[in-house]
Amino acid sequence: MKTLSDNAISDDITINRNIKCYGSSEVLSELKGKDTLFLCVMATTKTSNIPGITGAGATPELTEYTPAADLELVICGEPKCLPEIPQTVIDGAAAPTPAVITKASLELADIPILVVDAGAGIKPDIPYIKLGNGPGEDVRTGNAVPNAREIFEKGVLLGKTLSKLTDHLVIGESTPAGTTTALGVLTALGYNAKQKVSGSMPENPHDLKYGAVREGLKAAGYGEGETVEDALRAVEIVGDPTIPAVAGIVMGSSIPIVLAGGTQMTAVCSVIKGINPEFDFSNLCIATTIFVAEDETADINQLTRQVADINIFAVDPEFEKSSVPGLKSYLDGSVKEGVGAGGAMMAALLKDIPMDNIRLKIEDLCDKIF
Amino acid sequence: MKTLSDNAISDDITINRNIKCYGSSEVLSELKGKDTLFLCVMATTKTSNIPGITGAGATPELTEYTPAADLELVICGEPKCLPEIPQTVIDGAAAPTPAVITKASLELADIPILVVDAGAGIKPDIPYIKLGNGPGEDVRTGNAVPNAREIFEKGVLLGKTLSKLTDHLVIGESTPAGTTTALGVLTALGYNAKQKVSGSMPENPHDLKYGAVREGLKAAGYGEGETVEDALRAVEIVGDPTIPAVAGIVMGSSIPIVLAGGTQMTAVCSVIKGINPEFDFSNLCIATTIFVAEDETADINQLTRQVADINIFAVDPEFEKSSVPGLKSYLDGSVKEGVGAGGAMMAALLKDIPMDNIRLKIEDLCDKIF
């Protein structure tokens, strides 16, 4: 499969040699030196309990704790809701949660973070902005996010307020099984997303994900190839609570936005376009990690281009230089992204924090925490 | 009783003729033209169900809806949780909620508002930052806020984050029966607060408030004249959830803070001083309305001076110039303050919005809403 790197349009080392640009790098010059607010939108969905669908938790049941534990780790330095730190375990080897990447980046660059709850099953023991309620349902029910419209509308209100508080927003997410729900929304809206969403494991269970999505669409009365006209209806059927929350925040805001995530953020863009086909995406970009961009089991570039001409940036933390084994497993396709890790690193780089310092801080956190 | 006006130290018309200064007006020059974030911390407590203790709701039971309805009104222009707008009804005459003053001021000055839930029984249908859980108990139980420490600690975390997002914070509150819980905390900490807290009705039911407080202290094992050493323990016994939330935000923050409220904010200061006797109050002031400052049934000046040398500002909206009967009832002692109305007006005045414009906008909102 062609990967994002093959499509690199510019590799603009004048900005930063650790940021690969797919599209125009102009926006980065505009964001440099500006005030930044990092948001992390969290949710869980019963979809993550499907065995084998996600690596974001030691067991399917524990995935419900992952967003809360991750954000407690970022804010407090330790998870409070779980005795164990979230790790992605593949073949017995544990990769540290991307929350350490986010924490290291935001702390070094002194970037404030606000947590937004779109619908996490387990709530973190920290202050957070409440937009939703409980977790999303299993997409196979065809009734995944009954309150999608309400979450979206509150997101719009929040975006309006936050636009008055900072120069630009970086929005990350923590949503186990979020690539499955992204596949769901993209498929429902008629995009060719099959085998194109990324995942948290080296082996991407595309058939399992697509099977779950098809089952949900069928349960809601949509046959193969039939599309859902209303974007928020698509979320209601086969999405997750994070998607309408981020879409609402983006549509309510009036400042530049970096969507910090992988193919899940493509699904957010598809919903925005569905709600407003004339939406101006020039003030928005996607920032992710090189691990998503070079994921041979997915294609964020091709997927995003179907939605709109959106600039994508991929940040390379050069984990091959690290001596921490858990970080090396990112190079083998574990974890890849999450908690806005790629966007958080980009925000720190734009504040002139060298990547070597970010990586050292990540290693330091790994030593302390794991 | 001597009122605040009798103690006015400066009446500095160079700042603004609608702001009376009790203390130094220097801080106002520092705040002028700075970025402002308005927070409103809300909570309810079963104390407000004691008949006759508060006017913040048409019936004792409806006081549980007041904070949610007030903040929905500020953010959305209408209450969503209640069919009726909160009004203070005294002898059949309805005074509009102070939420209209806050809304008018913030909108004219384009000041962002974030809502913080310290423990409201009814939650507003808007985005809000969650610090606490359910409502406080009746102070008479002597177990009013079991989770006061947790709320305080989350407040500290929030204060740290918000300090990175703005130049200064204006913190209002919406807490029916909040002067009773303020009396509780001040009394528990050994201050002479009897007959000194303000209230939302022309007749201030001092004996009812003090009786409830004494009953709570007695239930917790404290006899008349015995003081509680630990400030957060005092909140646990006879406080409300708003007090530890605001104290935490103040103690976590590193920027100038305006406490926008009446004698309830004096209780917050007493808790801060109890936690850190060396706390530097020079970066903090209290802003309220002229109706609290000139309340002949209370004495915010004398009460606050017992805690520390804190500058107090009182804003006069000149409702005597208004033709709206509901606003005139503020002149007779109804409502007086709430939802940070005094601080919101001061913030708008500091952004060069003339008071006449604020009053016209308030009248306009009253016309539309009531």
Side-chain angles (χ1 to χ4, degrees):
Chain A
M1 184 177 288
K2 206 156 80 159
T3 69
L4 221 175
S5 290
D6 303 324
N7 294 303
I9 293 169
S10 75
D11 192 353
D12 190 343
I13 57 162
T14 60
I15 293 290
N16 190 292
R17 68 182 185 86
N18 292 93
I19 305 175
K20 280 208 161 144
C21 307
Y22 305 91
S24 160
S25 67
E26 215 170 290
V27 62
L28 292 192
S29 325
E30 283 166 30
L31 298 180
K32 224 171 160 345
K34 290 279 175 72
D35 278 348
T36 306
L37 169 58
F38 186 91
L39 281 192
C40 189
V41 180
M42 62 175 179
T44 57
T45 134
K46 301 247 166 74
T47 310
S48 72
N49 290 338
I50 301 174
I53 213 158
T54 177
T59 67
E61 290 69 33
L62 282 175
T63 56
E64 208 179 338
Y65 287 83
T66 301
D70 270 344
L71 288 159
E72 288 170 349
L73 177 62
V74 172
I75 307 273
C76 307
E78 56 178 7
K80 297 164 126 189
C81 65
L82 255 187
E84 287 205 41
I85 317 285
Q87 305 202 21
T88 298
V89 181
I90 306 292
D91 296 335
T97 164
V100 294
I101 302 176
T102 304
K103 183 178 176 64
S105 306
L106 299 183
E107 287 186 0
L108 284 173
D110 199 27
I111 293 170
I113 170 171
L114 286 173
V115 174
V116 177
D117 179 33
I122 303 291
K123 307 298 187 190
D125 195 15
I126 50 173
Y128 60 82
I129 300 172
K130 191 174 176 298
L131 284 195
N133 292 308
E137 290 300 321
D138 189 321
V139 289
R140 294 175 299 185
T141 62
N143 188 28
V145 193
N147 61 336
R149 274 162 226 280
E150 191 192 322
I151 296 173
F152 173 79
E153 277 158 26
K154 287 189 183 165
V156 171
L157 285 174
L158 182 61
K160 275 186 194 166
T161 301
L162 297 180
S163 294
K164 296 182 188 175
L165 285 173
T166 187
D167 295 332
H168 91 282
L169 282 177
V170 180
I171 311 179
E173 59 71 41
S174 180
T175 323
T179 55
T180 302
T181 44
L183 174 67
V185 167
L186 286 160
T187 303
L189 294 177
Y191 295 98
N192 174 13
K194 212 171 162 180
Q195 307 235 329
K196 289 187 177 64
V197 294
S198 198
S200 52
M201 298 172 292
E203 296 289 323
N204 198 335
H206 284 303
D207 291 345
L208 184 63
K209 291 177 180 179
Y210 193 72
V213 164
R214 275 299 324 142
E215 196 176 329
L217 284 168
K218 195 177 162 199
Y222 291 86
E224 181 94 43
E226 278 187 273
T227 60
V228 180
E229 285 298 309
D230 176 345
L232 287 172
R233 178 78 190 119
V235 176
E236 283 172 356
I237 298 172
V238 281
D240 65 60
T242 295
I243 294 171
V246 179
I249 295 166
V250 170
M251 295 187 80
S253 77
S254 51
I255 54 176
I257 288 188
V258 176
L259 292 179
T263 43
Q264 292 168 253
M265 290 306 181
T266 307
V268 169
C269 293
S270 76
V271 169
I272 293 169
K273 196 184 175 189
I275 293 169
N276 177 10
E278 306 302 316
F279 186 83
D280 175 13
F281 283 98
S282 67
N283 226 2
L284 176 151
C285 66
I286 292 177
T288 188
T289 62
I290 198 77
F291 312 114
V292 168
E294 300 192 342
D295 180 1
E296 295 198 358
T297 76
D299 196 339
I300 189 174
N301 191 40
Q302 205 276 325
L303 202 51
T304 307
R305 296 283 166 262
Q306 288 182 51
V307 179
D309 192 18
I310 296 165
N311 295 316
I312 302 175
F313 301 98
V315 181
D316 184 0
E318 299 177 301
F319 281 164
E320 63 276 8
K321 292 185 182 171
S322 175
S323 57
V324 175
L327 294 179
K328 292 231 189 236
S329 60
Y330 275 69
L331 301 170
D332 302 327
S334 282
V335 189
K336 296 189 189 77
E337 168 67 287
V339 200
M345 288 191 287
M346 189 168 92
L349 292 171
L350 289 175
K351 289 195 185 288
D352 294 327
I353 310 292
M355 183 52 86
D356 287 347
N357 295 23
I358 298 175
R359 199 176 49 255
L360 281 171
K361 174 100 178 172
I362 293 169
E363 291 175 344
D364 191 42
L365 287 171
C366 286
D367 270 359
K368 275 194 199 133
I369 299 170
F370 300 103
Chain B
M1 187 177 287
K2 207 156 82 163
T3 69
L4 223 175
S5 288
D6 302 325
N7 295 301
I9 293 171
S10 74
D11 194 354
D12 191 342
I13 58 162
T14 60
I15 293 290
N16 191 292
R17 69 183 185 86
N18 292 92
I19 305 176
K20 280 210 160 139
C21 307
Y22 305 92
S24 161
S25 67
E26 215 171 291
V27 62
L28 291 192
S29 325
E30 284 166 29
L31 298 180
K32 223 171 161 349
K34 291 278 175 71
D35 277 350
T36 307
L37 169 57
F38 186 91
L39 282 191
C40 189
V41 180
M42 62 175 180
T44 58
T45 134
K46 302 246 166 77
T47 310
S48 71
N49 290 338
I50 300 174
I53 213 158
T54 177
T59 68
E61 290 68 34
L62 282 176
T63 57
E64 208 179 339
Y65 287 83
T66 301
D70 270 344
L71 289 159
E72 288 169 349
L73 176 62
V74 173
I75 307 273
C76 307
E78 57 178 6
K80 297 163 127 190
C81 65
L82 255 187
E84 286 208 40
I85 316 285
Q87 306 203 22
T88 298
V89 181
I90 308 290
D91 296 334
T97 165
V100 294
I101 301 176
T102 305
K103 184 178 176 66
S105 305
L106 299 182
E107 287 186 359
L108 284 173
D110 198 27
I111 293 170
I113 171 173
L114 285 173
V115 174
V116 177
D117 178 34
I122 303 292
K123 308 297 187 190
D125 195 16
I126 51 174
Y128 60 82
I129 300 173
K130 191 175 174 298
L131 285 195
N133 292 307
E137 289 301 321
D138 189 320
V139 290
R140 294 176 298 185
T141 61
N143 188 28
V145 193
N147 60 337
R149 276 162 225 280
E150 191 193 322
I151 296 172
F152 172 79
E153 278 158 24
K154 287 189 184 165
V156 171
L157 285 174
L158 182 62
K160 277 186 193 165
T161 302
L162 297 180
S163 294
K164 296 181 187 174
L165 286 174
T166 187
D167 295 331
H168 91 282
L169 282 178
V170 180
I171 311 179
E173 59 72 42
S174 180
T175 323
T179 54
T180 301
T181 45
L183 174 67
V185 167
L186 286 159
T187 303
L189 293 176
Y191 294 98
N192 175 12
K194 213 170 159 179
Q195 306 236 328
K196 290 187 176 64
V197 294
S198 198
S200 51
M201 298 173 291
E203 295 290 322
N204 198 335
H206 284 303
D207 291 345
L208 184 62
K209 291 177 180 178
Y210 193 71
V213 164
R214 277 298 325 141
E215 197 176 327
L217 284 168
K218 194 176 164 198
Y222 291 86
E224 180 93 42
E226 279 188 274
T227 60
V228 180
E229 286 298 308
D230 176 345
L232 287 171
R233 178 78 190 117
V235 176
E236 283 172 359
I237 298 171
V238 281
D240 65 58
T242 294
I243 295 173
V246 180
I249 296 166
V250 170
M251 294 186 81
S253 76
S254 51
I255 53 175
I257 288 188
V258 176
L259 293 179
T263 44
Q264 292 168 253
M265 291 306 181
T266 307
V268 169
C269 294
S270 76
V271 169
I272 293 169
K273 195 184 175 190
I275 293 169
N276 176 11
E278 307 301 316
F279 186 83
D280 175 12
F281 282 98
S282 67
N283 226 2
L284 175 151
C285 66
I286 293 177
T288 187
T289 62
I290 198 77
F291 312 114
V292 168
E294 300 193 341
D295 180 0
E296 296 198 357
T297 77
D299 196 339
I300 188 174
N301 191 39
Q302 205 277 325
L303 203 51
T304 307
R305 297 283 166 263
Q306 289 181 50
V307 179
D309 192 18
I310 296 165
N311 295 316
I312 302 175
F313 301 98
V315 181
D316 184 0
E318 299 176 300
F319 281 165
E320 64 276 10
K321 293 186 182 171
S322 175
S323 56
V324 176
L327 294 178
K328 291 229 189 235
S329 60
Y330 276 68
L331 301 170
D332 303 327
S334 282
V335 189
K336 296 189 188 76
E337 168 66 289
V339 201
M345 286 190 289
M346 188 168 91
L349 292 171
L350 289 175
K351 289 196 184 287
D352 294 327
I353 310 293
M355 183 53 86
D356 287 347
N357 294 22
I358 299 175
R359 200 178 48 256
L360 281 171
K361 174 100 179 175
I362 294 169
E363 292 175 343
D364 191 42
L365 288 171
C366 286
D367 269 359
K368 274 192 197 133
I369 299 171
F370 300 103

